[in-house]
Amino acid sequence: MADDIAQQFSTKMQLDKETGEMVSKNELKKRTQKRTKKAAAAARNGVSVSNPVQEPIPRGQLATAGEPVVDPDAIFKQDFLAQVYKERESKNVVTRFPPEPNGYLHLGHAKAITINFGFARYHGGKTVDSSVVIPLARFDDTNPDAEKEEYFIAIQETIRWLGFAPSKITYTSDNFQRLFDLAEELVKQKNAYVCHCNKAETELQRGGEKGASPRYRCAHANQDVETNLEKFRGMRDGKCAPQSAWLRLKQDIEDPNPQMWDIAAYQIPKDQKPHFRTGTKWRVYPTYDFAHCLCDSFEGITHSLCTTEFRMSRESYKWLNHRLVNFQPMQREYGRLNLTGTILSKRDIQSLIEKKIVRGWDDPRLFTLKAIQRRGIPPGALLSFIYELGVTTAESFVDNRRFQQSVRQYLERSVPRLMLVLDPIPVVIEDAEEQYLDIPFSPKDSKMGSHKIKLTKRIYIDRSDFREVDSKDYFRLAPGKTVGLLQIPYPVKAVSFTKDEASGAIMEIKAVYDKEGKKPKTYIQWVPEGCPTAEVRIHTALFNSDQPKLASGGFMDDVNPNSETIWPNAMVESGFYEVRRRAPWPKTEGEKLGEASLASVRFQAMRVAYFALDTDSTDDRIVLNQIVPLKEDLGKSSKG
Ligand code: ATP
Ligand code: MG
């Protein structure tokens, strides 16, 4: 690793940011010139190459991960390697994304997915004999108590939505028999034993709560092979109560690494729920520590990429594979991705749902990938955010504002613009004549086309854009004051207004064109009479602090009670129908693979925010979610 870092920081070599390779200064210059030429040619042909979405760049230790090895001293000889290479017909890099199907994927998993797929693609691209990219998705389905079919389905949908297509979907449960047989083999090697100690006893053996007391092994470690085999088979055959027996590895209790202190290899789950795929066939299940490294080897995974908290597990990973298989994948780690101002853990999200603080796993205020999808964030925006962060081993806490900024930049150039009014009040322009206006969907990109708006005598503006009493520092509509209306040739001046006596609310404003006056300082949005109404949901941070987990009283006490504002009677111009018909916006790879969803109906509501259609919408009911505000840190209504 020290070598990798030295190489990365060597002054003679420079990083080619597009490929992630370290190359000489000359080479980098050549490449840059070539790319500039290509970009210029593409621009002439009308192909946009600005801001291309790039693969994450394997850097540092991931960049030089090297070859996996055939372990020459493998204890338990089996010719898996030949079989593995035959099965995948090449020696390409093979990675896998290994989700536990016990919940929905979250933002951090998107990083794991992009790294595993991106790494394989990156190296696959370099392999001469084959252009096949081989990332797998493997379900780590070893704990039926926590797993549900619903999660299996949702996880696969999410991977597809992100735009990735695993070459194969595999399951740890495909290998339950093989794993059991290997566990027996381990017992025969005297490298595993059945233990009946409870949690407290095991903790004590491993040095107590603080790890300060002397470590020791229990008497079970001295059982002979026959006893262990009989007990292990007894566990399998239902002779032991749940959680009353474990198969433990016989490692090295003196080793400084806790992952070597006789960790568990098999357990009997508490609830004994049927397994989604194997039903009631098995009563014992392998642990992650046991199954993961072996399945990696079975599947010919060359690079087992995982997050840094598994750094210590490298040793047990090798220890086990060395004893049972002769193909050793290499484990490499990258840092977890976390976001400020939110929580990602499945258990914590579950409690927010149970307390009805959010609408469900896909509530747009959460950062599960289902929530991100429902909120309307395009997969391409999410990927470019992750690619921008790059691959590092440091665990990062990324500022939520940076995430929003990244999404905003992506939307800015890729979605159409419309006018929407959150809280409409009517304005009658007394001297207006009905006419049709042709309005472009984008001020910058003519390819997005245009749509017609009927300018009616009676239009609607936002209640917050009118004041009964004018003041010097105010530039929107007020009696005697002129304001510009977006897309209309003339500004309007308010002449009078009516109020509801009881509530004091403005009922109607009368206005006239102000054709002679100065150019107005502000232009406001409006919609014509007769356009569709919509329910608009504006979300702000679900928590008050940046680190909800560290808040006094825990994250539940940190919940912001005003994180959702609903505007039930908003109005959106009828161009919306065309935006809906032409979705997805933008036409990103991910959504082409999957169905164009409601959430892919996206637009910028001028002066308000970016919006997407919510899943609560129907053919006749428009419900919109705010994707991101137009500017950083604007308040609830996002209006300036
Ligand atoms: P959580 O406990 O946060 O719900 P997990 O680690 O239990 O997540 P898994 O389903 O086991 O979730 O994760 C699948 C893969 O995704 C693993 O390789 C894991 O290391 C990786 N992963 C999980 N969380 C993150 C994260 N925040 N950043 C990057 N990778 C992650
Ligand atoms: Mg996990």
Side-chain angles (χ1 to χ4, degrees), residues 432-593:
E433 276 172 25
E434 279 198 358
Q435 58 174 301
Y436 281 94
L437 305 168
D438 191 44
I439 300 184
F441 277 122
S442 159
K444 289 179 191 149
D445 183 358
S446 60
K447 286 201 292 299
M448 281 193 198
S450 64
H451 64 289
K452 296 234 176 325
I453 285 194
K454 185 175 176 188
L455 170 57
T456 47
K457 223 174 157 74
R458 190 183 167 85
I459 62 165
Y460 292 85
I461 65 164
D462 203 281
R463 190 172 294 280
S464 66
D465 284 333
F466 178 75
R467 263 196 205 172
E468 293 175 41
V469 184
D470 189 17
S471 71
K472 253 192 169 168
D473 55 351
Y474 175 75
F475 302 110
R476 285 165 285 158
L477 202 60
K481 188 142 209 159
T482 296
V483 76
L485 292 177
L486 286 165
Q487 322 283 11
I488 295 189
Y490 306 114
V492 290
K493 183 196 279 185
V495 288
S496 64
F497 61 91
T498 54
K499 255 166 92 162
D500 178 72
E501 287 306 322
S503 67
I506 304 288
M507 299 295 288
E508 189 182 80
I509 300 159
K510 290 219 165 24
V512 290
Y513 282 137
D514 181 4
K515 296 187 180 172
E516 311 302 326
K518 278 193 289 184
K519 191 172 182 287
K521 275 208 158 64
T522 302
Y523 284 80
I524 59 172
Q525 76 278 17
W526 59 279
V527 293
E529 195 163 32
C531 63
T533 56
E535 174 179 322
V536 174
R537 299 175 184 166
I538 305 244
H539 300 111
T540 51
L542 186 56
F543 297 99
N544 292 318
S545 73
D546 269 359
Q547 298 287 351
K549 291 280 260 189
L550 305 179
S552 67
F555 67 89
M556 278 296 176
D557 278 8
D558 195 39
V559 168
N560 165 13
N562 303 315
S563 59
E564 181 178 75
T565 309
I566 296 184
W567 300 91
N569 304 311
M571 291 170 88
V572 59
E573 54 164 301
S574 55
F576 169 79
Y577 292 125
E578 190 174 342
V579 168
R580 187 169 68 180
R581 188 178 57 73
R582 285 170 54 190
W585 294 90
K587 301 215 177 303
T588 53
E589 198 186 330
E591 287 167 316
K592 248 190 263 163
L593 280 172

Side-chain angles (χ1 to χ4, degrees), residues 400-418:
N400 207 318
R401 278 162 295 207
R402 183 168 167 192
F403 176 68
Q404 288 201 8
Q405 179 60 10
S406 182
V407 172
R408 190 161 32 238
Q409 275 171 0
Y410 191 90
L411 294 171
E412 220 260 317
R413 58 174 194 270
S414 58
V415 301
R417 293 183 190 187
L418 291 173

Side-chain angles (χ1 to χ4, degrees), residues 154-448:
I155 289 172
Q156 293 182 49
E157 281 171 1
T158 298
I159 298 173
R160 267 204 311 276
W161 171 74
L162 268 173
F164 296 103
S167 60
K168 205 169 165 189
I169 297 199
T170 64
Y171 301 84
T172 297
S173 56
D174 292 339
N175 298 306
F176 277 169
Q177 187 61 52
R178 194 168 176 185
L179 290 166
F180 188 87
D181 295 345
L182 285 178
E184 282 198 342
E185 168 60 29
L186 205 63
V187 171
K188 289 180 199 156
Q189 289 173 7
K190 300 201 174 96
N191 280 322
Y193 58 96
V194 172
C195 174
H196 300 283
C197 297
N198 62 27
K199 201 172 161 221
E201 288 162 339
T202 315
E203 193 174 286
L204 217 54
Q205 292 158 24
R206 295 162 56 90
E209 204 185 325
K210 294 203 176 91
S213 58
R215 297 192 289 274
Y216 63 94
R217 274 201 169 116
C218 63
H220 304 115
N222 301 325
Q223 282 156 186
D224 59 25
V225 168
E226 283 64 40
T227 311
N228 281 319
L229 270 183
E230 196 187 316
K231 283 187 171 187
F232 186 43
R233 289 171 188 161
M235 281 169 71
R236 174 194 63 191
D237 299 337
K239 293 193 180 135
C240 301
Q243 314 254 279
S244 70
W246 285 265
L247 183 72
R248 287 177 73 177
L249 305 183
K250 198 165 182 180
Q251 297 166 291
D252 182 0
I253 202 92
E254 302 299 330
D255 195 287
N257 180 350
Q259 273 296 110
M260 294 301 287
W261 302 344
D262 292 8
I263 56 177
Y266 267 83
Q267 58 124 0
I268 313 172
K270 196 156 119 253
D271 300 340
Q272 288 292 307
K273 286 190 191 157
H275 187 281
F276 163 60
R277 300 186 74 243
T278 59
T280 51
K281 177 161 182 218
W282 292 93
R283 302 178 65 93
V284 285
Y285 290 89
T287 58
Y288 172 88
D289 285 318
F290 184 78
H292 192 74
C293 51
L294 292 170
C295 288
D296 277 352
S297 178
F298 299 164
E299 290 174 354
I301 301 301
T302 54
H303 299 81
S304 180
L305 310 176
C306 59
T307 37
T308 45
E309 72 269 24
F310 293 104
R311 185 70 180 79
M312 297 276 224
S313 307
R314 253 200 214 188
E315 205 171 338
S316 56
Y317 186 108
K318 281 189 185 166
W319 184 93
L320 199 57
N321 274 1
H322 176 66
R323 279 159 181 78
L324 294 176
V325 288
N326 72 355
F327 173 61
Q328 286 268 15
M330 50 172 48
Q331 179 185 307
R332 287 294 179 271
E333 304 84 14
Y334 56 87
R336 283 177 91 84
L337 166 62
N338 298 298
L339 206 63
T340 62
T342 190
I343 50 169
L344 293 178
S345 136
K346 289 162 196 161
R347 200 181 322 140
D348 296 345
I349 293 177
Q350 186 73 53
S351 52
L352 289 173
I353 296 171
E354 276 159 17
K355 295 215 161 68
K356 300 215 171 358
I357 292 170
V358 293
R359 292 164 193 265
W361 286 98
D362 63 351
D363 187 290
R365 287 164 290 184
L366 295 173
F367 286 83
T368 61
L369 294 175
K370 283 281 174 204
I372 287 177
Q373 178 179 8
R374 178 172 180 183
R375 178 169 152 190
I377 292 174
L382 183 58
L383 294 181
S384 33
F385 165 71
I386 290 171
Y387 296 169
E388 265 165 46
L389 299 176
V391 183
T392 52
T393 48
E395 167 150 358
S396 47
F397 250 99
V398 179
D399 197 315
N400 207 318
R401 278 162 295 207
R402 183 168 167 192
F403 176 68
Q404 288 201 8
Q405 179 60 10
S406 182
V407 172
R408 190 161 32 238
Q409 275 171 0
Y410 191 90
L411 294 171
E412 220 260 317
R413 58 174 194 270
S414 58
V415 301
R417 293 183 190 187
L418 291 173
M419 289 192 286
L420 171 145
V421 172
L422 289 175
D423 186 6
I425 44 168
V427 177
V428 177
I429 311 172
E430 297 189 313
D431 49 349
E433 276 172 25
E434 279 198 358
Q435 58 174 301
Y436 281 94
L437 305 168
D438 191 44
I439 300 184
F441 277 122
S442 159
K444 289 179 191 149
D445 183 358
S446 60
K447 286 201 292 299
M448 281 193 198

Side-chain angles (χ1 to χ4, degrees), residues 110-127:
K111 176 172 177 183
I113 295 171
T114 31
I115 287 183
N116 278 295
F117 282 75
F119 185 81
R121 248 186 237 179
Y122 177 81
H123 287 282
K126 277 170 119 180
T127 312

